[in-house]
């Protein structure tokens, strides 16, 4: 339920706490790979990073639901939520790149797209056209593909000794990269009349 008009708006609540927790997980996911193998074997590093990323992805879906369901949407939360998602994806891709588990071109495409679309949305907001480049179903499918592929690539090992998680994750990250390029082109096409307006 939204706050009465006379009360100050909520600035910290459950969705906000989940968003900050997701941001706090980013250095942990990165830092686990810096622990010496003698202290923490590589298999456990992979599993820890994988499940932390999965937990972060789950909180992403949950905090949005709670915010809308119970009227806890705030300006700060609306700003931080997509920032946390992009930081998490980009940080994980940098880790995977350093481990040789993702192609350099794929990482560049995904990170470059996030920067381009974020800049485009900021510019469109300045001219009052932000709704034209709001997140659509294609962007959501792209995000789902990324959120499934990345933990698989972090896990790296065979699941139950049989399922080649790395191969599945690699296929999905290429699909996510293709969707990333396509969704960026869709946004640019929508924004082009405003970008080319003298």
């Amino acid at each position: 339920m939204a706050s009465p008009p006379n009360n100050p708006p909520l600035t910290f609540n459950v969705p906000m706490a989940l968003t900050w927790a997701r941001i706090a997980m980013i250095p942990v996911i990165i830092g686990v790979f810096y622990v010496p193998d003698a202290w923490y074997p590589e298999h456990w590093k992979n599993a820890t990073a994988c499940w932390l990323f999965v937990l972060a992805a789950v909180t992403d879906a949950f905090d949005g639901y709670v915010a809308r369901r119970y009227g806890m949407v705030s300006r700060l939360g609306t700003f931080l939520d997509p920032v946390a998602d992009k930081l998490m994806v980009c940080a994980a891709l940098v880790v995977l790149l350093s481990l040789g588990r993702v192609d350099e071109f794929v990482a560049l495409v995904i990170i470059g797209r996030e920067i381009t679309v974020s800049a485009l949305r900021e510019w469109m907001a300045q001219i009052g056209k932000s709704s034209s480049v709001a997140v659509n179903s294609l962007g959501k499918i792209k995000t789902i593909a990324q959120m499934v592929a990345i933990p698989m690539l972090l896990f790296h090992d065979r699941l139950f000794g049989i399922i080649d998680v790395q191969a599945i994750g690699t296929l999905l990250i290429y699909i996510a990269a293709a969707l990333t390029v396509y969704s960026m082109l869709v946004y640019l096409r929508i924004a082009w009349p405003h970008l080319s307006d003298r």
Side-chain angles (χ1 to χ4, degrees), residues 2 45 55 84 194:
K45 292 179 186 179
L55 179 61
H194 305 290

Side-chain angles (χ1 to χ4, degrees), residues 123-167:
W123 186 82
M124 291 291 281
Q126 290 178 2
I127 64 171
K129 300 291 183 180
S130 58
S131 60
S132 301
V133 287
V135 177
N136 55 28
S137 58
L138 181 61
K140 292 178 180 178
I141 294 171
K142 177 268 302 180
T143 300
I144 291 171
Q146 287 180 355
M147 293 303 185
V148 175
I150 289 175
M152 286 185 168
L153 294 171
L154 288 170
F155 189 77
H156 190 61
D157 302 309
R158 286 184 176 270
L159 187 62
F160 308 121
I162 302 173
I163 303 174
D164 192 346
V165 174
Q166 179 71 19

Side-chain angles (χ1 to χ4, degrees), residues 51-64:
W51 291 114
L52 282 174
F53 192 93
V54 170
L55 179 61
V58 170
T59 64
D60 177 32
F62 187 66
D63 67 4

